[in-house]
């Protein structure tokens, strides 16, 4: 039985507001709320570290921001309010990791807008096409620097649910764990950053910089322990900038997956590069844990004849995750084994590193069986990625003005500013639960480039979730 998190009110007013969360697999994180953000972030991080050793070192000061009280604590309370109003709904959330928005040309990257405009429009699209039809699921935005005005513009777009905010610190001093060799990381990525400043976004047209590699570590495991996402059992990940929701969603995806006992959902499989560091880390992990069961059907599409990672991966720019699976001790130990290989920050060339999608594809066989993984038909979540940042959005009932303005320029989906409905390159005519060895054959079919259901990418440089 999953125990629901509850607010525990202070005994006396001088005690900081305390939240004790109890979730499956004996993980009991603690969030305290008060006027000293570093102190309260420390309490949170060490409450996880006591149960998942190495969490404090891996997180660094990722969660240490000045917005702990007015974003993290306020967000936890807002999520719980939404859940109380719809107790029969799955405890799900949509999550976005926002690109930096206040750093000038490396934030806009030649586009008309910074990504705060995209986040606001994505919120509008989610409200119109998902929340208004299927329930008040919170939109959790992890971000580094969105201003109050930018946040308010986004929050104004969501009428059927709420936007909650979690600031994260992706600067190199905060986000790079001390066990990494800074000089080696700098050599791999500095040419992608203006003036060698690894804390700023990589320049347009360059290869994966420090922020992108940090994002890969974040989505591989750290996001599962985000203070706001610890309030929910599911997340749906979407990209905030170069993606579009093209029409209404026919189903409540969380309810659909939960009712059928799935734990992970994806739409397609793609291909990039192999990773010798990942292979080495998994080989050592298997030797240290010889009795672990690994699902052969889930693993087969992602390994070559020697059992090494072959570069194929679940295209997880759009994914639905049952979070308790990734909060287990087993998954944390697996993540730390790969983390200490250096694979997320380094690769066989300076252009390459291990992506979170690569890691996810090889981690799932340790955690699930094939019948728990679901390939979503393209029509289930009408979603296009990648697209140009400035491509207009398809939401008829919302308008996102320029900052400081109330003027609407996109009034309906019939406006000439709106793009034509984009057809996904994948089409799947029926849902597939993938039992036993049938899973391997079903997933393996995805590898043929000529089929409509497969989106093959020749280089990981096209994956621009966060550079």
């Amino acid at each position: 039985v999953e125990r629901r998190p509850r607010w525990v009110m202070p005994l006396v007013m001088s005690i900081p507001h305390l939240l004790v969360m109890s979730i499956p697999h004996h993980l009991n994180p603690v969030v305290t709320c008060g006027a000293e953000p570093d102190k309260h972030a420390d309490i949170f991080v060490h409450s996880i570290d006591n149960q998942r050793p190495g969490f404090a070192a891996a997180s660094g000061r990722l969660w240490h921001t000045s917005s702990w009280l007015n974003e993290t604590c306020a967000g936890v309370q807002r999520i719980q309010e939404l859940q109380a109003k719809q107790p029969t709904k799955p405890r799900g959330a949509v999550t976005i990791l926002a690109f930096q928005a206040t750093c000038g040309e490396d934030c806009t990257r030649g586009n008309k807008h910074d990504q705060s405009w995209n986040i606001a429009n994505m919120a509008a699209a989610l409200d119109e096409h998902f929340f208004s039809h299927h329930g008040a699921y919170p939109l959790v935005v992890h971000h580094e620097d969105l201003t109050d005005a930018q946040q308010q513009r986004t929050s104004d777009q969501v009428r059927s649910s709420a936007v909650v905010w979690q600031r994260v610190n992706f600067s190199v001093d905060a986000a790079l764990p001390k066990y990494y060799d800074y000089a080696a990381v700098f050599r791999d990525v500095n040419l992608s950053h203006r003036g060698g400043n690894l804390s700023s976004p990589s320049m347009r047209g360059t290869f994966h910089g420090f922020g992108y590699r940090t994002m890969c570590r974040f989505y591989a495991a750290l996001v599962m322990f985000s203070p706001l996402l610890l309030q929910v059992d599911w997340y749906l990940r979407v990209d905030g900038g170069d993606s579009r929701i093209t029409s209404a969603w026919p189903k409540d995806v969380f309810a659909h997956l939960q009712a059928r006992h799935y734990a992970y959902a994806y739409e397609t499989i793609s291909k990039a590069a192999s990773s010798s560091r990942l292979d080495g880390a998994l080989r050592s992990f298997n030797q240290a844990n010889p009795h672990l069961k690994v699902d052969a059907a889930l693993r087969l599409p992602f390994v070559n004849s020697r059992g090494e990672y072959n570069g194929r991966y679940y295209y997880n720019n759009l994914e639905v995750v049952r979070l308790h699976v990734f909060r287990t001790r087993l998954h944390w130990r697996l993540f730390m084994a790969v983390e200490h290989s250096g694979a997320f920050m380094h690769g066989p060339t300076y252009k390459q590193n291990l992506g979170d999608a690569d890691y996810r594809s090889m981690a799932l066989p340790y955690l699930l069986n094939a019948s728990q993984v679901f390939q979503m038909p393209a029509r289930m979540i009408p979603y296009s990625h990648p697209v140009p940042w400035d491509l207009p959005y398809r939401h008829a009932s919302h308008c996102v003005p320029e900052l400081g303005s109330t003027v609407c320029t996109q009034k309906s989906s019939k406006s000439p500013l709106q793009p034509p409905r984009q057809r996904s390159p994948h089409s799947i005519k029926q849902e597939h639960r993938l039992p036993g060895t049938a899973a391997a054959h079903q997933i393996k079919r995805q590898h043929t480039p000529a089929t409509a259901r497969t989106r093959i990418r020749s280089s990981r440089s096209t994956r621009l979730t966060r550079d």
Side-chain angles (χ1 to χ4, degrees):
V1 176
E2 297 184 8
R3 293 174 290 172
R4 303 304 192 197
R6 291 181 172 85
W7 285 95
V8 180
M9 297 303 293
L11 297 177
V12 295
M13 294 304 291
S14 60
I15 299 177
H17 202 162
L18 173 67
L19 170 64
V20 179
M21 293 178 283
S22 182
I23 61 178
H25 303 285
H26 311 289
L27 182 65
N28 296 292
V30 175
V31 174
T32 56
C33 299
E36 302 174 75
D38 278 1
K39 169 185 173 182
H40 298 292
D42 279 339
I43 291 171
F44 166 72
V45 167
H46 288 291
S47 75
I48 304 290
D49 189 77
N50 288 337
Q51 301 159 85
R52 301 293 181 265
F55 181 79
S59 296
R61 295 182 63 80
L62 176 71
W63 308 107
H64 290 66
T65 73
S66 60
S67 303
W68 186 264
L69 180 61
N70 62 349
E71 289 192 11
T72 304
C73 293
V76 167
Q77 187 168 20
R78 188 72 182 101
I79 291 172
Q80 292 185 347
E81 291 170 354
L82 292 174
Q83 291 170 345
K85 293 178 180 178
Q86 48 182 30
T88 62
K89 284 279 188 181
R91 296 181 345 126
V94 180
T95 190
I96 292 172
L97 175 60
F99 194 82
Q100 288 185 49
T102 58
C103 63
E105 66 177 301
D106 290 329
C107 280
T108 55
R109 319 192 91 193
N111 297 291
K112 179 181 178 181
H113 300 95
D114 61 66
Q115 205 182 91
S116 70
W117 179 83
N118 299 87
I119 300 295
N121 274 283
M122 178 57 77
L126 285 163
D127 190 61
E128 179 170 316
H129 297 312
F130 183 41
F131 302 147
S132 64
H133 297 280
H134 300 299
Y137 294 110
L139 172 57
V140 178
V141 180
H142 295 89
H143 72 103
E144 295 181 70
D145 63 350
L146 296 184
T147 65
D148 290 346
Q150 290 167 336
Q151 291 185 31
Q152 188 60 55
R153 178 171 63 172
T154 298
S155 295
D156 288 345
Q157 297 301 317
V158 177
R159 306 160 189 165
S160 305
S161 184
V163 185
V164 291
W165 306 89
Q166 174 64 59
R167 193 175 294 263
V168 290
N169 190 344
F170 272 19
S171 68
V172 65
D173 292 337
L176 184 66
K178 301 303 181 186
Y179 47 74
Y180 274 99
D181 180 345
Y182 172 82
V185 172
F186 184 82
R187 284 195 301 270
D188 275 4
V189 302
N190 80 92
L191 293 179
S192 293
H193 295 270
R194 194 176 303 278
N197 179 8
L198 271 55
S199 297
S200 66
S202 57
M203 295 179 289
R204 186 182 187 188
T206 60
F207 293 96
H208 296 160
F210 178 77
Y212 180 89
R213 298 174 192 221
T214 300
M215 179 276 293
C216 292
R217 295 179 60 248
F218 182 72
Y219 268 123
L222 298 177
V223 72
M224 315 300 177
F225 301 93
S226 165
L228 298 186
L229 291 181
L230 282 166
Q231 294 298 302
V232 301
D233 301 327
W234 295 88
Y235 82 52
L236 164 64
R237 171 185 173 181
V238 297
D239 185 84
D242 55 347
S243 63
R244 298 293 184 270
I245 295 171
T246 56
S247 61
W249 299 7
K251 294 182 179 180
D252 178 342
V253 64
F254 297 123
H256 181 85
L257 297 177
Q258 184 164 291
R260 290 159 180 78
H261 306 290
Y262 291 115
Y264 186 78
Y266 70 101
E267 193 175 86
T268 190
I269 289 177
S270 295
K271 191 177 192 311
S274 58
S275 171
S276 58
R277 288 178 184 260
L278 175 62
D279 290 332
L282 294 181
R283 197 159 44 242
S284 297
F285 187 79
N286 293 337
Q287 292 169 355
N289 300 275
H291 301 298
L292 275 181
K293 294 182 178 180
V294 180
D295 190 275
L298 278 182
R299 186 172 178 269
L300 182 61
F302 304 104
V303 295
N304 60 23
S305 59
R306 297 181 299 277
E308 300 165 335
Y309 178 55
N310 62 18
R312 296 186 174 100
Y313 59 89
Y314 295 118
Y315 193 72
N316 71 336
N317 184 274
L318 177 70
E319 65 176 352
V320 190
V321 174
R322 179 78 169 177
L323 286 162
H324 75 78
V325 173
F326 297 92
R327 293 172 180 151
T328 59
R329 292 182 177 90
L330 171 59
H331 181 253
W332 182 252
R333 295 201 326 267
L334 180 64
F335 167 73
M336 289 302 288
V338 177
E339 164 81 337
H340 281 288
S341 76
F344 291 112
M345 299 306 293
H346 303 287
T349 75
Y350 75 92
K351 299 177 183 179
Q352 296 177 346
N353 67 292
L354 181 70
D356 52 294
D358 310 299
Y359 170 79
R360 184 89 78 242
S361 302
M362 291 297 285
L364 278 177
Y366 290 85
L367 307 171
L368 300 173
N369 60 58
S371 66
Q372 295 172 290
V373 175
F374 175 62
Q375 183 179 16
M376 296 181 290
R379 65 180 180 272
M380 179 174 277
I381 301 179
Y383 180 86
S384 294
H385 178 272
V387 300
W389 275 20
D390 286 332
L391 185 74
Y393 286 76
R394 293 181 59 86
H395 43 75
S397 60
H398 296 66
C399 172
V400 178
E402 301 294 331
L403 281 178
S405 172
T406 58
V407 177
C408 280
T409 57
Q410 294 181 222
K411 296 183 179 180
S412 76
S413 59
K414 297 180 181 179
S415 165
L417 290 174
Q418 301 292 335
R421 180 171 179 175
Q422 299 190 24
R423 296 189 62 185
S424 171
H426 347 291
S427 61
I428 301 168
K429 294 185 178 180
Q430 58 182 350
E431 298 175 7
H432 296 281
R433 180 186 291 270
L434 308 178
T437 56
H441 298 299
Q442 176 65 24
I443 297 176
K444 193 170 183 179
R445 290 174 60 195
Q446 316 263 340
H447 300 160
T448 306
T451 62
R453 68 172 62 188
T454 305
R455 182 186 297 164
I456 298 295
R457 305 222 178 271
S458 60
S459 168
R460 195 179 287 122
S461 64
T462 60
R463 288 153 55 185
L464 301 175
T465 303
R466 186 189 187 283
D467 293 337

